Amino acid sequence: VVGLGVLLTGEAWRGSLGTVSFRGGELPNDFLSLAQAGLLCWVYGAFLLAYGRRAFRNALFPLLFSLFMIPLPVFAAEFLIQALQHISADLSDAIFTLLGATYHRNGLNFEFANLTVFVAEECSGIRSTMALFILSVLAGRLFLEGMPRRVMLVAAVFPIAVVKNAFRIVLITLLANYVDLRFISSHWLHTMGGMPFFLVALCLLAPITWILRKTENRPAVKESSQY
């Protein structure tokens, strides 16, 4: 009964969204989020109806993991982008000061002798941050037992993303200012350097996962003896 109710709710949800029209035929991200949520509601209902509550509980993690199929609503994406922008700029400011660089900061603009750098939305690293977030959830499931440490691992993603963004901003800016302006105009490190810097984030996430795993109070496994 529960499964049928959830399935019908998801179907009604998807059906009601099908009557919505948009100017120019474009589908805004909020609509896609609602449509995908309705689809997953239908899938959950169909699973409950076909296999029952016990199977649903046993498959709870993969079912909930599928929630990452839902795109972020516009308001949530904008909030995360702005937070990553400003905090990454603040950390970059601190690193520039620590390195003794000569510059002037005005909001998200950093004015150097040879160039002015603006920490744009593209510098927020929202896509790599979401990928790192999803990976941390999966790593917590695979390598950690307790929920508190899984939450700690997921919570570490945001500061890691900020450090990675600041490292990228500082490195490219200093190379462009003191070595060659092409590092910020046409060099692959700026235009297609997402993967190398994502590897930097993974290198920061891996030891945190290892430390959390090592500090867990795992039940001792007793070896069976045969006589």
Side-chain angles (χ1 to χ4, degrees):
V1 178
V2 176
L4 182 60
V6 176
L7 188 151
L8 293 176
T9 300
E11 185 62 28
W13 190 337
R14 293 173 62 245
S16 63
L17 290 174
T19 61
V20 180
S21 59
F22 299 94
R23 294 180 180 178
E26 295 183 357
L27 300 179
N29 212 50
D30 288 345
F31 175 82
L32 293 176
S33 301
L34 292 173
Q36 197 69 9
L39 174 62
L40 285 179
C41 185
W42 185 92
V43 170
Y44 293 159
F47 190 96
L48 274 168
L49 184 62
Y51 300 105
R53 297 184 184 181
R54 184 176 180 180
F56 188 88
R57 287 194 297 269
N58 292 335
L60 189 60
F61 178 78
L63 288 171
L64 292 180
F65 194 77
S66 62
L67 289 173
F68 288 119
M69 296 169 56
I70 302 176
L72 281 177
V74 173
F75 75 93
E78 289 180 348
F79 174 80
L80 285 175
I81 289 172
Q82 291 179 7
L84 287 168
Q85 270 183 281
H86 287 82
I87 300 177
S88 298
D90 291 339
L91 182 57
S92 301
D93 189 11
I95 296 175
F96 284 137
T97 302
L98 184 64
L99 295 177
T102 302
Y103 67 98
H104 172 72
R105 180 184 178 184
N106 182 18
L108 296 176
N109 289 287
F110 292 87
E111 300 175 6
F112 287 80
N114 298 318
L115 77 160
T116 298
V117 175
F118 174 68
V119 182
E121 293 184 359
E122 294 79 5
C123 301
S124 66
I126 182 65
R127 294 182 180 85
S128 62
T129 301
M130 290 302 302
L132 198 65
F133 180 81
I134 295 172
L135 186 61
S136 69
V137 173
L138 186 59
R141 173 71 176 183
L142 293 175
F143 301 117
L144 301 176
E145 296 291 340
M147 184 58 67
R149 280 176 171 75
R150 291 176 180 175
V151 173
M152 291 171 63
L153 181 62
V154 172
V157 168
F158 188 81
I160 288 175
V162 170
V163 170
K164 182 263 297 179
N165 290 344
F167 176 72
R168 183 178 186 176
I169 294 168
V170 170
L171 178 63
I172 295 177
T173 300
L174 292 182
L175 286 173
N177 188 61
Y178 296 107
V179 179
D180 194 330
L181 285 174
R182 286 178 294 182
F183 274 103
I184 205 166
S185 61
S186 59
H187 198 273
W188 69 267
L189 192 62
H190 184 215
T191 57
M192 297 182 295
M195 184 55 68
F197 291 104
F198 183 74
L199 293 177
V200 172
L202 288 181
C203 290
L204 295 175
L205 185 67
I208 295 176
T209 306
W210 182 82
I211 292 172
L212 291 174
R213 180 178 173 85
K214 286 296 183 181
T215 55
E216 271 192 324
N217 295 322
R218 293 173 173 266
V221 179
K222 296 182 179 180
E223 297 181 358
S224 59
S225 301
Q226 296 181 357
Y227 296 97

